[in-house]
Amino acid sequence: FAQQPSGYVVYAKVIDGDTVPVINLSEVWIFPAKTFKNKSEEVKYNKLVRDVKKAYPYAKVAGVKIKEYNELLADAKSDAMKKYLMKKAEDDLRAQFEKDIRDMTFKQGVILIKLIDRETGNTSYELVKEFRGTLMAVFWQSVGKVFGISLKLEYDPLGADKNIEDIVVRIERGAI
């Protein structure tokens, strides 16, 4: 009784008559160091990192908000109520995010459109069409075209958007 117990209490599993400790370890991600052919490529990548870091939080919020609005619409009793809810949602989003979105650069806007597609599985055009109607979707697509951007941009993580996907994964894992 004079001895104080010491050691750790861990889960154990009996395998072939032996008791083996089981310790759950958290997942570890190891990313290779980025290598660049020249300084301009490195500068271009660093700008892409900056732009993705600026746009990604808004894309995550968009994914959450769309789930929220889908639930609201499912509970709506009539088309008039759905229209009212979507107009109210648009006004709320404008009040909350319009200034920040307007302050984004053109490139950040393009990345945001692609990341919204990544988060929701729908292009921005499809989302506007679903929530605000075809007329509004065509209107905003036309406005985008005037500025040289399409709301129908799709995210291609294995092709054109491979670097963006790499940056997003690094952000999610806390490496950036």
Side-chain angles (χ1 to χ4, degrees):
F1 292 108
Q3 296 178 357
Q4 296 295 322
S6 63
Y8 299 96
V9 177
V10 295
Y11 292 101
K13 189 177 197 179
V14 177
I15 301 175
D16 295 331
D18 287 333
T19 304
V20 179
V22 176
I23 301 172
N24 294 323
L25 300 174
S26 58
E27 191 172 26
V28 175
W29 286 80
I30 299 173
F31 295 100
K34 289 300 270 182
T35 56
F36 304 99
K37 294 178 186 171
N38 52 43
K39 188 70 175 167
S40 68
E41 191 178 286
E42 182 179 2
V43 168
K44 186 177 175 182
Y45 182 80
N46 288 336
K47 285 181 181 180
L48 183 62
V49 169
R50 178 200 64 207
D51 293 344
V52 171
K53 285 171 74 173
K54 172 91 179 203
Y56 185 62
Y58 295 104
K60 292 295 284 183
V61 169
V64 170
K65 291 286 187 183
I66 287 178
K67 286 178 186 169
E68 216 174 271
Y69 296 143
N70 279 331
E71 290 172 7
L72 273 175
L73 290 177
D75 294 340
K77 305 267 188 265
S78 67
D79 286 343
M81 179 58 103
K82 286 180 182 180
K83 187 174 181 179
Y84 169 77
L85 288 172
M86 284 300 94
K87 181 63 178 149
K88 185 174 180 333
E90 180 181 349
D91 293 342
D92 291 345
L93 288 173
R94 278 183 187 269
Q96 190 173 3
F97 298 111
E98 186 172 25
K99 183 187 180 317
D100 294 337
I101 301 297
R102 284 188 186 270
D103 289 343
M104 285 186 173
T105 65
F106 179 82
K107 183 73 174 169
Q108 290 168 348
V110 171
I111 291 169
L112 178 60
I113 288 172
K114 289 182 175 189
L115 289 176
I116 287 173
D117 182 34
R118 179 186 187 269
E119 289 298 313
T120 64
N122 295 317
T123 65
S124 296
Y125 179 83
E126 292 166 344
L127 293 171
V128 173
K129 184 176 177 183
E130 177 184 344
F131 290 112
R132 296 291 290 141
T134 304
L135 186 63
M136 288 299 286
V138 169
F139 171 76
W140 286 113
Q141 175 68 3
S142 300
V143 169
K145 283 293 187 182
V146 168
F147 293 101
I149 192 170
S150 173
L151 296 180
K152 295 180 181 179
L153 285 175
E154 293 185 0
Y155 186 71
D156 181 15
L158 302 176
D161 302 320
K162 188 175 182 180
N163 282 339
I164 294 173
E165 180 67 18
D166 177 59
I167 294 167
V168 167
V169 168
R170 288 173 187 255
I171 290 170
E172 288 174 343
R173 304 294 183 233
I176 292 182

